[in-house]
Structure formats: structure tokens, C-alpha cells
Amino acid sequence: MCHVYASTDPQRYESTTRSVRLQGSVTSVRLENEFWEILDCLAAEQGMSAGRFISKLYSEVIADKGEVPNLASMLRVACAVHLHLRAESASGRNTSSNASRRRA
């Protein structure tokens, strides 16, 4: 089983830095290419650029939580949550009850 992960193309876990505008200020975010690919897909599904999607997500977290202590970590977790929800949806599980359990 580990071979599947160990044989991953190193390009997927190389990091890339992108600049994004968050509430009027430009900042740089460094993520592994795999996460940028997921964020690009998420943004496209919402009809946005990745930068706009990240800016909107950031603003929503600020409004809900008051701060984003680690933007890169928040983006990685958002990608993981997206993949979990997609997997649950594909397997026919009830995602709303599972999401409620995770928040509790």
C-alpha cells in the first residue's frame, strides 16, 4: 500500500508560492502543487479564479472566527475537507450528518 504513496511524482509535492490579495493587502502563500491543483479545481467549480476563491474563503473565515492564524494550513485543511466530502458523496453517505458530527 505504501508504494502508491511512495511512488508519487515529486512534482506533486514540490512547493509553489503564489501572491493573493486578501482584504486589500497582497500576501504570498506557499503550498505544495497538489494543493494548488485542488484549489484551482475548487475555484473553477465556483466560477472564480483561485485567488478570488482564496480571498472569499479568507473573508468568510475572518467573519466567522475573527482570525486566520495560519493561512496555508487553513487552505490545506479546506482541500482535505473538500476531498472528504467528495468521497462521502461518491459513496452515497449522508454528508450533512457526518459534517455535523465533525463540528461537534
Side-chain angles (χ1 to χ4, degrees):
M1 178 174 85
C2 290
H3 177 73
V4 171
Y5 306 112
S7 64
T8 299
D9 179 357
Q11 175 66 26
R12 293 177 75 175
Y13 53 83
E14 285 180 8
S15 296
T16 300
T17 301
R18 294 190 192 178
S19 295
V20 293
R21 183 173 300 277
L22 303 174
Q23 299 183 336
S25 297
V26 176
T27 190
S28 295
V29 181
R30 186 170 183 83
L31 293 172
E32 295 75 15
N33 292 331
E34 186 74 11
F35 290 110
W36 283 122
E37 186 175 324
I38 294 167
L39 288 168
D40 288 338
C41 290
L42 273 167
E45 288 173 8
Q46 300 294 316
M48 299 180 211
S49 67
R52 178 69 185 123
F53 177 79
I54 292 167
S55 178
K56 184 171 174 54
L57 178 59
Y58 178 86
S59 293
E60 289 180 11
V61 173
I62 291 292
D64 189 49
K65 307 288 185 208
E67 68 175 339
V68 178
N70 187 321
L71 178 61
S73 292
M74 186 268 293
L75 293 173
R76 287 183 190 98
V77 170
C79 290
V81 168
H82 167 72
L83 294 175
H84 286 297
L85 291 175
R86 185 192 311 166
E88 288 175 356
S89 178
S91 68
R93 294 185 197 159
N94 183 342
T95 57
S96 61
S97 65
N98 290 334
S100 296
R101 276 194 301 246
R102 275 195 295 273
R103 278 182 284 207

